[in-house]
Amino acid sequence: PPSLQDQSVRLGPGHGPDPHTQTAAAGGKDTSASSTGLPGPSGADLPSSIDLQTPAFSVGVGPSYQQILGGPDGFLLFKLGAQVDAQWRLAPGTWIAGSADLRVIDNYDRFKYTAPSELPRVRTYAREYATASRFTIPMLQAQQVWALGQGHHLSVYGGLLEPMFGGVGAEWLWRPWNGRVALGLDVNQVWQRDFEQDFGFRDYRVTTGHVSVYWDTGWHDLQAKLMVGQYLAGDVGATLDVRRQFANGVSIGAWATKTNVSSAQFGEGSFDKGIYLRVPFDVLLARATPGMANIVWNPLTRDGGARLQRRFTLDELTRQGSLGAWSVVPADSAR
């Protein structure tokens, strides 16, 4: 298979795309960088910029960029465009968020490759999604979050949840204050979106969701996440994500997913896996910003083990209540 790289940079009011949904072509290496809010490589879990308390409207405009290196259609395929990100906080815990992207300059006329698949094509239509339209709506959704007390949180949401899928869903999370372990459950009914990424849908529908366990090990800032459930292609299995989060917010990690799809049916690579690096813009810029660079390497993009990439998850919205979010150090400490 080809060795592909996809890199995207999108700046907005603090939220951006999920790495998996930014794969520009199936069957190769995927790297992406984005401003955040969206779940990362193991299921939408980058920090959100949503302020749950203050009703407000915010909008941001910035460049968007993608590139594919070493594919069968040419050494370099690229796309340069502009993206608008907006958030409308209607009330405490209620908001509407969306993004729109315009592809301005590219050489996608040479982009011909579509990876083979023996499963429902939930990710291997990446070329079609990348090239069908110059103007796309990667995400447009409404969400409501409730804090139920005793560490329990509930969220419901609906709309265009990611570039390839839209629908409705709900998530529950139990995170005891200052605890090392959290438990979660999400259930989603989603439809595959049209390649143009507008308001149309294809005829593929699936129920997907996972039971999740989050564990702050307390050992060298290591955090683990285990998800068990049904994936977008209808396969059932588990994902393990392990990452190290440093005091300045930078984190590096890896994930692997194994489902009831055989290695032969999955295709080359046998199962889904990858590594990622997240760097808060606060580390790089002179002023405070909720953005984050998210770089993901996924050696082979296939349909098995594909997860819904939601923009806002309860894990990240409540992360400040976890034990690892707080520390006490001497006043003269460099940290």
Side-chain angles (χ1 to χ4, degrees):
S3 184
L4 306 180
Q5 287 184 328
D6 164 32
Q7 185 174 14
S8 63
V9 177
R10 312 203 295 188
L11 304 179
H15 60 268
D18 175 73
H20 284 168
T21 62
Q22 289 304 302
T23 307
K29 297 178 181 178
D30 168 30
T31 62
S32 64
S34 70
S35 62
T36 104
L38 174 70
S42 49
D45 56 7
L46 299 185
S48 167
S49 65
I50 289 292
D51 178 352
L52 299 182
Q53 299 302 318
T54 308
F57 179 80
S58 61
V59 62
V61 181
S64 63
Y65 176 76
Q66 289 182 332
Q67 69 179 22
I68 306 168
L69 296 177
D73 300 318
F75 176 74
L76 173 65
L77 300 179
F78 73 94
K79 163 255 180 182
L80 180 64
Q83 177 157 311
V84 177
D85 294 282
Q87 297 174 359
W88 185 16
R89 298 188 291 278
L90 304 174
T94 306
W95 68 86
I96 297 174
S99 60
D101 187 87
L102 177 64
R103 177 161 49 98
V104 179
I105 302 172
D106 67 85
N107 62 350
Y108 279 179
D109 58 310
R110 298 158 53 189
F111 196 174
K112 307 294 183 183
Y113 179 77
T114 297
S117 179
E118 297 183 15
L119 297 171
R121 288 186 175 273
V122 295
R123 292 302 184 207
T124 51
Y125 276 140
R127 177 186 64 83
E128 287 80 354
Y129 280 100
T131 62
S133 175
R134 288 191 172 274
F135 178 79
T136 61
I137 305 173
M139 189 274 294
L140 178 62
Q141 71 165 73
Q143 185 155 350
Q144 170 71 53
V145 175
W146 294 275
L148 305 178
Q150 302 298 317
H152 294 274
H153 304 268
L154 180 64
S155 174
V156 294
Y157 45 85
L160 309 178
L161 303 178
E162 55 146 282
M164 297 185 185
F165 284 90
V168 296
E171 182 184 11
W172 164 82
L173 178 74
W174 175 64
R175 167 166 273 150
W177 176 258
N178 213 24
R180 291 197 180 277
V181 177
L183 303 177
L185 170 67
D186 68 283
V187 180
N188 310 273
Q189 182 70 48
V190 295
W191 290 259
Q192 190 172 45
R193 297 179 59 186
D194 282 345
F195 296 147
E196 290 76 13
Q197 296 179 52
D198 49 23
F199 296 100
F201 291 88
R202 297 167 58 82
D203 60 2
Y204 181 75
R205 180 179 67 180
V206 65
T207 299
T208 180
H210 294 82
V211 175
S212 303
V213 179
Y214 309 87
W215 179 32
D216 183 346
T217 68
W219 182 73
H220 293 288
D221 301 317
L222 204 63
Q223 300 175 6
K225 176 182 178 181
L226 177 66
M227 296 185 295
V228 179
Q230 180 163 294
Y231 296 79
L232 288 173
D235 48 335
V236 177
T239 297
L240 177 63
D241 182 304
V242 179
R243 68 177 176 179
R244 184 179 182 186
Q245 177 125 7
F246 298 91
N248 61 359
V250 175
S251 62
I252 184 170
W255 85 92
T257 299
K258 183 63 178 175
T259 71
N260 58 350
V261 172
S262 67
S263 297
Q265 191 178 15
F266 180 90
E268 185 169 353
S270 301
F271 61 94
D272 187 56
K273 64 272 193 182
I275 60 177
Y276 57 92
L277 172 68
R278 300 172 186 168
V279 182
F281 288 157
D282 272 344
V283 177
L284 308 174
L285 303 178
R287 66 177 184 175
T289 173
M292 178 178 289
N294 187 54
I295 303 168
V296 179
W297 182 76
N298 188 197
L300 291 167
T301 300
R302 293 290 184 259
D303 295 311
R307 284 160 285 128
L308 182 67
Q309 300 301 330
R310 295 189 292 111
R311 183 66 60 98
F312 308 106
T313 68
L314 289 178
D315 174 41
E316 291 301 332
L317 290 172
T318 63
R319 184 166 291 277
Q320 288 187 4
S322 66
L323 183 63
W326 301 90
S327 61
V328 177
V329 297
D332 59 350
S333 170
R335 181 179 181 185

